[in-house]
Amino acid sequence: MALSRHKRLDSWLNTIVISAVLVSLLLNMGVNALFLEEPRRAMVGLEMVLNGNYFVPTYYGEFYYRKPPIFNWALLASFKVFGTTEWAARLVTVLSLIGIGIVNFRFVRRWSDRDTAWYSSMFIVCGAIYLYFLSMFAEIDMFYCLISYSGMIAMYHFYRKDQPYLMFIMVYGLGAIGLLTKGLPSIPFIGLTIGSFTLWKRNWRQVFGLPHLSGIAVFTVITGSYLYIYSQYNTLENYWHGVWGEASGRTMIGQTWLRLLRHIFEFPIATLIDIAPAGLFSLFLLRKGAFKRLFKDDLMVFCGIVWLANFLVYWSAPGAKGVYVMMLDPFLVILCTRLYLNEAPKVKWVSPFLKGFNLLLLGMITVGMIVAPFIDFFAPVSGLWWQSVAFTAGMTGIWWLWWKSKGQVLNWLILALLLGRIGFDILVLPMRAWEGRHTSFKKDSMTIADISGNETVRVWGTLDEGAFAHHFAFYLEREKEEILRWSDERACNVFFLGLERDQDPAQVEIFHRFRNWNHDYIMFKFNDCEGT
């Protein structure tokens, strides 16, 4: 009877965890203006609509080579349903993160045990990626991670099901979609995954069989069709130079040996931090026999081989960043989770330590949300009092569950992370919207759009991505429903945006002053030009 009761309490805890995931990801998601790289992503997608061309990305009306179009299609689909808003732009990231968790759970549950599936999925969704900006912003990385990770695990899944045609078609098909999402990195991911898997299984015959050729054919048709359509608007030579320039920055090209040595030391540590807290479980490898016990499982061997084969490429590339290997993080999370489940029960102090740590986190979060309304710093947060009361009421139920439940300590660690993120959503996101520089960018953009009315607006000078914040550009294009272009030709009936120091006050009429990062800009018209 008691065991059944504890199972019910654990089931409630699981339900609370899943609910908290959704609340934490969606709460105040659209309260902030787009910033960092978000406006660039949204702007490229918006220009596809304004151009009437969904195959050729542009930026300020010029050909854009950094990223192919598929992520922009996802953004546009969200805009179509929910409007061209910050919330709609970030929804793609949130759905991608949830999708990674679901795909990982179904995959690991199919070929391993439920605990490994549940906890690894939760640590993917609720780990450092979740706590950092990548789960909050309209960025390409989470979307690309879902596609690439799905393609990699398809290799193992359909191999085990003895479906070679479907195996290669899925690997190459999703690889092609990845290529048209983020560019050339998808090619080594495909090759290294297939190569390392084949070397492990010693099944060289499959490399030369019809199933493999079928996969290559699918990849060729998908990418070839896109490139053919693109070639109708721009030369493929220009396109190749653009995408190669983007990819080569991640390699040893142009880097020093000193930077390489530093990167070799720092990159693995940074990777483990990126999957925290699961990354801390890697310390269990120090236990005698832990490595051997971990890799008794066929799935763990697959995760280790594929992760290492792909990770080595970026480990040797000083230009690489954590987001470049994010699609490999789920493999590492699975390994670290299984390592914990294997080894933690044999170390007496681990469970009491985590219980105490969880208790500390939950206590800090509860007290923090109770006292927040009394802190003047948070006065700009609208509705903070009722949100604090609602949060505290919910915590009362959670504390009751803590008192009654004897469930897994990892679930409570996950819940503490989720509650901390909800507190962050309630307190920090509105404060960021209230005082953040990106908010002033949006306000100035709306003012410029209002002043210009139906008249054209241009950025003064020749195109220089670093000279004018794309934060202004996206909102101007959205409000005016026209592409913001650069121009160095004077015209009397056009509003220009440029550095105040570059203009002679006697030759221009100023309509608005604003700050673009640390520079003073003006919205102006020339008054010494002829004609239109």
Side-chain angles (χ1 to χ4, degrees):
M1 182 69 70
L3 181 61
S4 177
R5 177 172 177 270
H6 288 311
K7 284 186 176 180
R8 289 200 303 271
L9 292 174
D10 288 347
S11 178
W12 292 352
L13 180 57
N14 290 345
T15 301
I16 292 172
V17 166
I18 293 174
S19 300
V21 168
L22 298 177
V23 171
S24 66
L25 290 173
L26 297 174
L27 182 61
N28 283 335
M29 185 172 69
V31 72
N32 277 279
L34 300 182
F35 64 123
L36 296 179
E37 286 297 301
E38 289 185 291
R40 188 196 306 275
R41 307 295 179 221
M43 180 178 165
V44 173
L46 182 59
E47 288 195 9
M48 286 183 169
V49 177
L50 299 176
N51 277 325
N53 188 327
Y54 294 89
F55 292 96
V56 181
T58 63
Y59 183 62
Y60 288 108
E62 303 292 333
F63 290 116
Y64 182 73
Y65 301 110
R66 290 190 181 183
K67 298 293 181 291
I70 286 185
F71 178 69
N72 297 309
W73 296 347
L75 283 180
L76 292 178
S78 185
F79 288 158
K80 185 71 174 178
V81 176
F82 300 104
T84 311
T85 65
E86 294 85 354
W87 193 92
R90 292 166 182 149
L91 182 63
V92 177
T93 295
V94 170
L95 293 180
S96 299
L97 180 58
I98 294 172
I100 294 168
I102 293 173
V103 167
N104 183 80
F105 179 82
R106 292 181 62 85
F107 170 66
V108 179
R109 184 68 184 93
R110 176 67 176 81
W111 303 111
S112 186
D113 60 279
R114 189 185 186 283
D115 281 349
T116 304
W118 169 259
Y119 290 120
S120 64
S121 300
M122 286 297 104
F123 280 124
I124 290 169
V125 174
C126 309
I129 290 174
Y130 160 87
L131 295 174
Y132 294 163
F133 69 91
L134 284 176
S135 69
M136 307 177 196
F137 292 170
E139 266 289 5
I140 195 172
D141 301 287
M142 204 66 68
F143 181 79
Y144 181 65
C145 178
L146 173 61
I147 295 169
S148 297
Y149 178 60
S150 298
M152 291 177 188
I153 62 177
M155 189 84 192
Y156 184 87
H157 179 75
F158 292 108
Y159 181 88
R160 289 287 299 270
K161 295 184 72 174
D162 195 24
Q163 295 178 308
Y165 280 96
L166 199 51
M167 177 180 74
F168 281 112
I169 287 173
M170 291 298 292
V171 170
Y172 277 101
L174 289 169
I177 294 173
L179 179 68
L180 297 181
T181 298
K182 204 172 181 180
L184 295 180
S186 289
I187 294 177
F189 284 140
I190 296 171
L192 290 169
T193 299
I194 294 175
S196 60
F197 188 86
T198 302
L199 183 63
W200 170 40
K201 293 298 184 181
R202 299 180 181 179
N203 189 0
W204 299 103
R205 184 178 299 178
Q206 69 178 9
V207 177
F208 304 101
L210 285 177
H212 192 193
L213 293 176
S214 299
I216 294 174
V218 168
F219 181 89
T220 303
V221 169
I222 293 174
T223 57
S225 298
Y226 173 74
L227 291 175
Y228 173 76
I229 295 172
Y230 186 94
S231 68
Q232 307 304 303
Y233 303 92
N234 189 19
T235 67
L236 293 182
E237 181 180 3
N238 289 342
Y239 183 77
W240 167 251
H241 285 309
V243 297
W244 172 250
E246 174 74 2
S248 61
R250 305 175 183 184
T251 67
M252 187 60 193
I253 298 173
Q255 308 293 342
T256 66
W257 285 104
L258 182 61
R259 188 177 179 190
L260 172 61
L261 293 174
R262 180 178 176 181
H263 179 78
I264 289 173
F265 173 75
E266 293 179 346
F267 199 54
I269 298 173
T271 300
L272 291 175
I273 293 174
D274 284 345
I275 63 166
L280 293 174
F281 302 152
S282 62
L283 293 174
F284 283 113
L285 282 173
L286 299 176
R287 284 181 51 78
K288 185 177 180 180
F291 186 89
K292 185 176 181 180
R293 288 188 290 272
L294 175 64
F295 289 109
K296 280 183 178 179
D297 187 303
D298 192 68
L299 177 61
M300 298 304 117
V301 177
F302 167 75
C303 291
I305 287 175
V306 172
W307 176 82
L308 184 61
N310 287 279
F311 185 80
L312 285 173
V313 175
Y314 291 90
W315 198 2
S316 61
K321 302 176 183 178
V323 294
Y324 298 169
V325 296
M326 196 171 70
M327 66 295 304
L328 304 176
D329 288 348
F331 294 114
L332 202 54
V333 171
I334 293 169
L335 292 169
C336 289
T337 302
R338 172 58 74 82
L339 193 59
Y340 172 90
L341 294 174
N342 284 352
E343 305 301 324
K346 303 170 187 176
V347 184
K348 293 182 179 180
W349 60 267
V350 170
S351 182
F353 172 80
L354 279 179
K355 286 181 180 178
F357 183 68
N358 294 342
L359 185 62
L360 176 64
L361 286 179
L362 291 171
M364 291 174 60
I365 293 166
T366 304
V367 172
M369 286 304 300
I370 290 174
V371 303
F374 299 96
I375 301 175
D376 291 340
F377 179 79
F378 295 113
V381 178
S382 177
L384 181 55
W385 276 99
W386 72 261
Q387 292 181 82
S388 176
V389 171
F391 189 92
T392 304
M395 287 303 298
T396 302
I398 289 173
W399 279 111
W400 175 87
L401 190 60
W402 167 275
W403 181 258
K404 296 291 185 180
S405 174
K406 295 183 179 179
Q408 291 281 354
V409 291
L410 286 188
N411 257 349
W412 284 102
L413 176 59
I414 291 165
L415 183 58
L417 294 173
L418 292 169
L419 293 172
R421 168 63 187 272
I422 291 174
F424 178 91
D425 294 344
I426 293 173
L427 297 175
V428 179
L429 292 183
M431 286 297 298
R432 184 183 288 171
W434 181 69
E435 65 179 4
R437 180 179 292 180
H438 53 286
T439 302
S440 65
F441 288 165
K442 180 179 179 179
K443 289 180 179 177
D444 280 316
S445 300
M446 305 297 277
T447 300
I448 292 168
D450 184 58
I451 293 173
S452 62
N454 294 325
E455 296 187 63
T456 300
V457 178
R458 295 279 185 265
V459 182
W460 176 250
T462 56
L463 179 60
D464 180 0
E465 292 186 17
F468 189 78
H470 43 240
H471 308 73
F472 296 103
F474 167 73
Y475 285 109
L476 282 171
E477 290 188 347
R478 186 186 73 174
E479 295 303 310
K480 296 183 67 62
E481 297 184 346
E482 65 178 28
I483 294 174
L484 179 67
R485 301 178 186 273
W486 289 65
S487 176
D488 57 2
E489 297 183 4
R490 297 190 177 195
C492 292
N493 61 343
V494 173
F495 286 99
F496 289 96
L497 309 174
L499 284 164
E500 185 170 13
R501 70 185 183 212
D502 292 342
Q503 305 303 325
D504 183 348
Q507 297 180 356
V508 299
E509 180 182 359
I510 298 174
F511 292 84
H512 181 62
R513 285 183 168 86
F514 59 99
R515 294 281 289 175
N516 178 8
W517 296 119
N518 296 319
H519 301 288
D520 294 316
Y521 268 65
I522 55 175
M523 175 186 183
F524 64 93
K525 279 188 175 182
F526 287 105
N527 53 28
D528 64 340
C529 58
E530 298 180 358
T532 59

